[in-house]
Amino acid sequence: MNLTSPETLIFWMTLFFLIFFFLLKKLAWKPILNAVKEREESIENALLEAEKAKEEMAKLKADNQKILNEARAERDQMLKEAKELKEKIINQAKEDAQKVANKEIAKAKEVIENEKLAAIKELKNQVSELSITMAEKVLSEELKDKDAQLKHIDKLISDIKLN
């Protein structure tokens, strides 16, 4: 038997391979499979954890967006209320200013009317005094003689009867 022949070499190689395979199966195969299985499980767990984290991130993002939308809505509401309050204050100030202006105008009209009445009264008094003065002078001239006095009295009586 020649150890260098190809058939012998194949025989011994096959025998060593089968022995190595048997030993490997008995001693190392289960630990290798267990290590591979553990590695597979840890990768699967890591993927599940990553998926959970991704879902939590999506949930947090949705919650953040919801909070942001609520804050925007609240801000818009506050701005709307502030604008309404501003308009209300402006309108109230306009109304108050109009009331004050109307009161001042009414007071001014009243003062003008009072001054107008006083001026008319003063004018009437002056006209009356002037008329009396003129009438005294005219009558004193006309009534110097007795005939003129009688004519004048007759004329006044006839005027009174006509009216």
Side-chain angles (χ1 to χ4, degrees):
M1 192 167 180
N2 187 1
L3 289 177
T4 59
S5 71
E7 293 87 25
T8 313
L9 193 57
I10 290 176
F11 170 75
W12 285 112
M13 281 178 81
T14 306
L15 181 67
F16 281 125
F17 179 74
L18 289 174
I19 292 171
F20 177 72
F21 184 73
F22 180 74
L23 286 175
L24 188 63
K25 184 178 179 187
K26 282 291 182 188
L27 299 175
W29 193 256
K30 283 188 180 182
I32 291 173
L33 285 179
N34 286 339
V36 168
K37 189 175 185 179
E38 285 176 12
R39 177 74 176 145
E40 185 179 292
E41 287 175 359
S42 69
I43 291 173
E44 188 175 320
N45 287 338
L47 287 174
L48 287 174
E49 290 296 323
E51 187 66 31
K52 285 180 185 177
K54 184 178 177 183
E55 289 174 2
E56 280 187 44
M57 288 297 290
K59 184 180 177 183
L60 288 174
K61 187 176 180 182
D63 289 345
N64 286 342
Q65 187 64 37
K66 180 181 176 184
I67 291 170
L68 183 63
N69 289 339
E70 288 174 359
R72 285 182 181 154
E74 187 175 336
R75 179 202 65 196
D76 291 343
Q77 181 66 28
M78 290 173 74
L79 286 174
K80 181 182 174 186
E81 289 173 0
K83 284 181 183 180
E84 288 173 358
L85 182 60
K86 177 187 89 169
E87 291 296 322
K88 184 178 178 181
I89 290 170
I90 289 172
N91 288 337
Q92 185 64 40
K94 284 180 183 179
E95 289 175 9
D96 292 346
Q98 186 65 39
K99 286 177 184 177
V100 169
N102 288 341
K103 285 180 183 179
E104 291 299 318
I105 289 171
K107 284 180 184 178
K109 284 182 180 179
E110 186 177 334
V111 168
I112 290 170
E113 186 64 29
N114 289 340
E115 288 180 7
K116 179 181 159 186
L117 291 174
I120 290 172
K121 185 176 180 181
E122 182 65 29
L123 185 60
K124 283 182 180 180
N125 288 339
Q126 287 178 359
V127 168
S128 299
E129 288 176 16
L130 187 60
S131 297
I132 291 172
T133 305
M134 288 176 65
E136 283 177 353
K137 287 183 181 181
V138 168
L139 285 176
S140 67
E141 277 300 315
E142 286 184 7
L143 298 178
K144 282 186 181 178
D145 74 29
K146 193 154 180 122
D147 288 334
Q149 286 180 358
L150 290 173
K151 277 186 187 178
H152 187 64
I153 291 172
D154 286 339
K155 182 179 177 200
L156 288 174
I157 291 173
S158 66
D159 283 345
I160 290 173
K161 289 180 184 176
L162 292 176
N163 288 336

